[in-house]
Amino acid sequence: MNHNLLEKYAEFIVRVGVNVQPGQTLIINGNLETAPLARLCMKAAFAAGARDVRVDWADEACSRIRMEMGSEEALTDVKPYVLRSYLDFAESEGGVCVLHLLADDPEVYNGLDAAKINRVSMARRTALKPWRVYTMNDKIQWCIAAMPSESWAKMIFPNEPIDVAVEKLWNAIFDVCRVTDGDPVTAWKAHLDRLNGLKDKMNAYDFESVHFTSSNGTDLTVGLADGAIWESASSPNEKGVMFLPNIPTEEVFTAPHKDKVNGIVYGTKPYAYNGQLIKGFHVTFKDGRVVEHGAEENADLLGELLDSDAGARSIGEVALVPASSPINRSGLLFYNTLFDENAACHIAFGASYPGTCKGGKDMTEEEMLAHGMNQSEIHEDVMVGAEDTNITGLTRDGRTIQIFENGEWVL
Ligand code: ZN
Ligand code: ZN
């Protein structure tokens, strides 16, 4: 991999992605494989004035052994210090920002008990909820970016020798993250301007619902939450500091109304959930809830996902991504939501983002529910956009507007 581009990538992640501010502590979460990128991000963060940088390492092999051999009782017993290790920084002067560096093996938990994995992961989510409020509500800057690991690269390029596969994945990541030309900051400015323009147009129409159809059988009407706002890539935190939650990002998204989604939708890419793959799935909605579902592979896992909690059978996000997105055009399946969700229109089972509703960031859970904003401990994006997806919008004053034709924006 080109070291010069790696430095540019790290700079971009820290300066534009998480946008570390002087005096803040940066927490980096990453697998051991991400060390080369984490070190460069740490340097860039100190150079940007960070007070301190803490790195929380994980090792996927250890995580798998623990998931396989640890008792469920122990694995669901999340000690309070884990939460405090984040809140102590979030509540302190100067504050905190957080960067997740991914190099995940999409099938790390392949063959293990899906129900146990789900309960363990739900226990952790529940224990960390007070911390998640900081990121879901954009109180602090947060960012997710990725780099190759051997296991991940091998999955995408199974026929290549491992070093070739890793190199190819680096090139793919640099390409779709707009790093290859050597000036990601400028490339992203133009990209964000375009996404913001589309978002503004969507908001100006004041849609009540959007309707998806495609030749694979998808016919889905998504009613929008009361006061729903279309958002794009960049968000401000509560102090007005702009950041990019996801690198890369191609989506314009908002909050569905949790009771007003009807019809059937077919998945168009496999979905990696809790270290296993759900393939060829479909779900049928009635009045906002999934009433029927199936999958060619791992249908049980999809069932586990939908039974995670009371809100998991409804969706909290609908996102529009054109088929011409660089991730889709790469022709690669990344087996990683950060990339695959930016290759296709998607919906997310579980929680909505408070920022996708007018005044949502200041609402209580009850107020959000009253606006139709779904609540759950999970937020799982699944890809449903096809090359021939058509989307129309129904405005609150009764007009039908064509939004997508054959997978592309026509606004
Ligand atoms: Zn999304
Ligand atoms: Zn999402």
Side-chain angles (χ1 to χ4, degrees), residues 317 341 379 381:
E317 178 191 346
E341 74 162 334
H379 177 98
D381 298 278

Side-chain angles (χ1 to χ4, degrees), residues 134-381:
Y134 280 87
T135 53
M136 281 298 275
N137 290 26
D138 295 338
K139 284 171 168 296
I140 60 162
Q141 314 105 271
W142 56 281
C143 176
I144 311 176
M147 65 166 274
S149 64
E150 291 190 353
S151 52
W152 183 23
K154 204 172 170 50
M155 186 140 182
I156 305 178
F157 304 104
N159 301 320
E160 303 285 2
I162 200 69
D163 51 330
V164 176
V166 168
E167 184 68 21
K168 280 192 158 184
L169 182 51
W170 265 122
N171 290 338
I173 290 177
F174 284 155
D175 270 353
V176 302
C177 294
R178 298 176 166 80
V179 177
T180 306
D181 292 338
D183 187 5
V185 176
T186 304
W188 274 81
K189 195 179 173 319
H191 177 51
L192 294 178
D193 284 350
R194 187 180 136 68
L195 287 177
N196 284 329
L198 289 165
K199 169 194 88 170
D200 290 345
K201 279 187 188 170
M202 290 298 283
N203 283 324
Y205 277 115
D206 192 20
F207 289 116
E208 183 182 318
S209 64
V210 289
H211 181 209
F212 289 74
T213 50
S214 53
S215 60
N216 62 12
T218 289
D219 185 350
L220 184 74
T221 302
V222 180
L224 304 184
D226 302 337
I229 315 171
W230 292 89
E231 284 289 346
S232 62
S234 50
S235 319
N237 76 357
E238 64 181 357
K239 291 177 180 149
V241 179
M242 296 303 289
F243 66 101
L244 273 180
N246 290 346
I247 298 172
T249 176
E250 304 289 332
E251 62 181 325
V252 173
F253 61 100
T254 194
H257 192 293
K258 67 178 179 59
D259 303 324
K260 297 182 182 171
V261 180
N262 284 289
I264 187 163
V265 67
Y266 288 84
T268 49
K269 289 176 191 289
Y271 179 58
Y273 179 61
N274 282 346
Q276 301 183 13
L277 289 176
I278 301 170
K279 292 185 183 171
F281 65 89
H282 74 271
V283 284
T284 307
F285 290 90
K286 183 155 185 346
D287 298 332
R289 289 180 69 76
V290 174
V291 291
E292 185 271 341
H293 69 274
E296 287 159 20
E297 247 177 67
N298 276 327
D300 293 357
L301 191 57
L302 178 58
E304 295 289 343
L305 187 162
L306 295 172
D307 287 336
S308 296
D309 63 17
R313 272 181 187 262
S314 301
I315 56 174
E317 178 191 346
V318 57
L320 309 190
V321 178
S324 60
S325 99
I327 295 129
N328 195 42
R329 284 292 165 256
S330 76
L332 298 173
L333 186 62
F334 284 84
Y335 302 102
N336 182 304
T337 305
L338 179 63
F339 292 86
D340 293 330
E341 74 162 334
N342 283 299
C345 294
H346 54 270
I347 54 175
F349 298 111
S352 51
Y353 285 105
T356 51
C357 178
K358 213 176 200 166
K361 290 179 185 177
D362 299 316
M363 285 182 194
T364 62
E365 263 188 41
E366 289 68 33
E367 288 169 325
M368 293 225 277
L369 284 169
H371 281 76
M373 303 281 288
N374 195 35
Q375 303 292 303
S376 169
E377 298 301 319
I378 68 163
H379 177 98
E380 297 293 333
D381 298 278

Side-chain angles (χ1 to χ4, degrees), residues 25-102:
T25 297
L26 171 65
I27 298 178
I28 301 178
N29 288 310
N31 290 339
L32 297 180
E33 285 90 343
T34 65
L37 181 58
R39 291 174 193 134
L40 290 174
C41 287
M42 184 183 246
K43 268 192 195 167
F46 277 120
R51 175 175 176 268
D52 200 359
V53 181
R54 184 182 98 193
V55 189
D56 287 347
W57 296 113
D59 173 51
E60 286 196 311
C62 285
S63 301
R64 185 180 165 101
I65 294 167
R66 187 167 171 262
M67 190 64 80
E68 189 171 2
M69 303 183 72
S71 74
E72 189 167 323
E73 182 274 316
L75 268 51
T76 53
D77 177 20
V78 184
K79 297 297 185 198
Y81 85 90
V82 181
L83 174 62
R84 287 311 317 174
S85 73
Y86 293 100
L87 293 189
D88 281 348
F89 287 101
E91 291 164 358
S92 66
E93 198 98 354
V96 72
C97 48
V98 63
L99 171 61
H100 301 275
L101 294 179
L102 306 183

